Amino acid sequence: MSVQESTFHGFANPVDPSPAELRAWAYRPDSVPLASMPPDWDLLVSGDRLVATLFDLAMDPSCPARRFALHCLYIYAADGIRTKFRAHPKRRFRKLVEQAEKNGDELMRVWAHNSRVLLARPELFVYRDWCEGGLVRENRRLA
């Protein structure tokens, strides 16, 4: 039975979910509504430990929580770039961007493009766009 077919019963610790819990929730997001999660849960889960899981979820067009995962990737990219990669390894970030460019659909290619633009021009950072979901909702490319 795949994760998508199983039932999700909640997080052992929602502040620090495991990759398996996050993946199971992403395919059954109504089982634990986002509104019931701790404040700024998106910021809490957008770190190195879960970025590979978030990336996989964002790459899957059939994932019900795909937009949430993509939103977290925007947070991850901005956090790494704005801290000059003290927060996250630049190598991991670049690998994700390259993989999104090579294998991703339009949503993921837009994320990769926007991440490269921010990397080249960090002054374009706008909190609303990168950390409050603006770029995900609007699905726009930065110039």
Side-chain angles (χ1 to χ4, degrees):
M1 181 184 324
S2 75
V3 170
Q4 290 87 337
E5 297 166 354
S6 65
T7 302
F8 179 64
H9 299 289
F11 297 98
N13 179 1
V15 174
D16 187 25
S18 71
E21 287 176 327
L22 184 62
R23 183 177 303 281
W25 169 81
Y27 287 96
R28 298 282 188 262
D30 293 340
S31 62
V32 181
L34 275 175
S36 72
M37 300 309 280
D40 297 323
W41 190 62
D42 53 349
L43 301 175
L44 293 172
V45 300
S46 297
D48 288 320
R49 193 168 87 81
L50 296 173
V51 73
T53 302
L54 290 164
F55 185 83
D56 289 346
L57 296 170
M59 289 284 283
D60 181 358
S62 70
C63 177
R66 181 184 193 202
R67 289 173 55 87
F68 175 79
L70 181 60
H71 164 63
C72 291
L73 290 180
Y74 272 102
I75 293 170
Y76 182 85
D79 195 31
I81 292 166
R82 293 181 65 236
T83 63
K84 296 181 175 35
F85 295 98
R86 288 186 300 275
H88 308 297
K90 189 174 191 176
R91 185 170 185 246
R92 177 178 291 154
F93 166 75
R94 285 192 183 275
K95 286 176 76 173
L96 294 173
V97 168
E98 290 167 3
Q99 190 174 350
E101 289 168 337
K102 181 178 179 184
N103 301 318
D105 63 4
E106 181 63 14
L107 281 177
M108 291 303 291
R109 287 192 304 272
V110 169
W111 171 77
H113 167 83
N114 290 343
S115 295
R116 286 194 184 274
V117 169
L118 188 65
L119 183 60
R121 299 180 52 210
E123 70 275 8
L124 293 179
F125 174 79
V126 174
Y127 189 86
R128 182 193 149 293
D129 287 343
W130 290 85
C131 299
E132 292 180 345
L135 290 170
V136 174
R137 282 188 302 278
E138 297 164 13
N139 190 33
R140 68 180 162 86
R141 288 179 178 262
L142 297 175

